[in-house]
Amino acid sequence: MSLVSSTEMLRRARAEGYCVGAFNVHTLEMLQAVVEAAQEAKSPLILQTTVGTVKHLGPEYVAAIARVAASSVQVPIALHLDHCHDYELIERCIQAGYTSVMIDASMHPFSQNVELTKRVVELAHRTGVNVEAELGKVGGVEDELVVEEEDAVLADPQECEAFAALTGVDTLAPAIGTAHGMYKGEPKIAFSRLEQIAGRVGVPLVLHGGSGIPEEQVKRAVSLGMAKMNVATELRIAFSNAIKEVFGENPEENDPRTYMKRAKQAVKSIAHAKMAMCGCIGKAAGQ
């Protein structure tokens, strides 16, 4: 299959009450792992790259690899740029072949967030590319973006409704108490706030900070309208720990094909578990 926009994929997920896993990948092996997991699970998939990864690898390289991956399987795959503040980089990623982009202007006042998001929507919709935006402030660390716990701000339901109407955005990531990175304790998700937002906003909602959220909380969030869940940190940790294990067993190992094989399998296992948690296994049929 070719890479697809995530718009219809996520609309269907919200309408049918499941969630699509969106996995941040940083290497060829990580990308292969989640694609293989999706194919085995017959699950739709969103591949994601952070701005840091795009700058490290180049959007053209990432998009080319993603196209090859999509053409090798029979499940729908979208390619998403996560948490970007730079219009020019968004434009470059779209030109390279990304089918979904996130303009994150949540650090700006509401009116400026609307203005910047509308500009990206106008650009992306010319070619059917999905646009995601954020309201409120999700805590934690995402590349160079650091939001301390005390600075995290929950999204306002009325603002979410107005924002979706004013911008025409395809998907919305409201801050509801989750955080980027691993949690020190159990996440304190504001489910009542999420329910209010979902009641006012018809577009699919996005759960950021999906690493380490207990399964029952994920399922509750999905039942309230979350149609996309981002997973990043758990994949990086599993990938890195698997490589460390190989070198711990054999410090003289110098063949990347050996340690990357185990790292790839570790990521694949996490991806399978997250797909099951999201309820998207078997949902690729008909897409």
Side-chain angles (χ1 to χ4, degrees), residues 128-145:
V129 171
N130 179 283
V131 179
E132 178 182 326
E134 183 173 308
L135 275 180
K137 291 183 180 179
V138 177
V141 180
E142 182 80 14
D143 277 352
E144 297 88 3
L145 177 64

Side-chain angles (χ1 to χ4, degrees), residues 9 18-21 23 34-35 37-46 74-77 271 275-276 278-285 287:
M9 181 192 297
Y18 64 90
C19 183
V20 177
F23 301 95
V34 296
V35 169
Q39 175 70 0
E40 291 171 9
K42 296 180 172 57
S43 168
L45 171 67
I46 299 174
Q74 288 75 51
V75 298
I77 297 178
M275 289 171 187
C278 288
C280 59
I281 291 178
K283 298 298 184 180
Q287 292 196 33

Side-chain angles (χ1 to χ4, degrees), residues 22-35 45-50 52-54 56-57 62 65-66 79-80 82 98 231-232 235-236 267 271:
F23 301 95
N24 281 36
V25 296
H26 307 280
T27 71
L28 171 62
E29 290 81 9
M30 293 180 80
L31 185 148
Q32 289 174 322
V34 296
V35 169
L45 171 67
I46 299 174
L47 296 169
Q48 292 193 160
T49 53
T50 65
T53 299
V54 168
H56 177 65
L57 297 176
V62 175
I65 295 167
L79 178 60
H80 177 72
D82 202 23
Y98 276 67
V231 181
L235 299 184
R236 289 204 314 270
V267 169

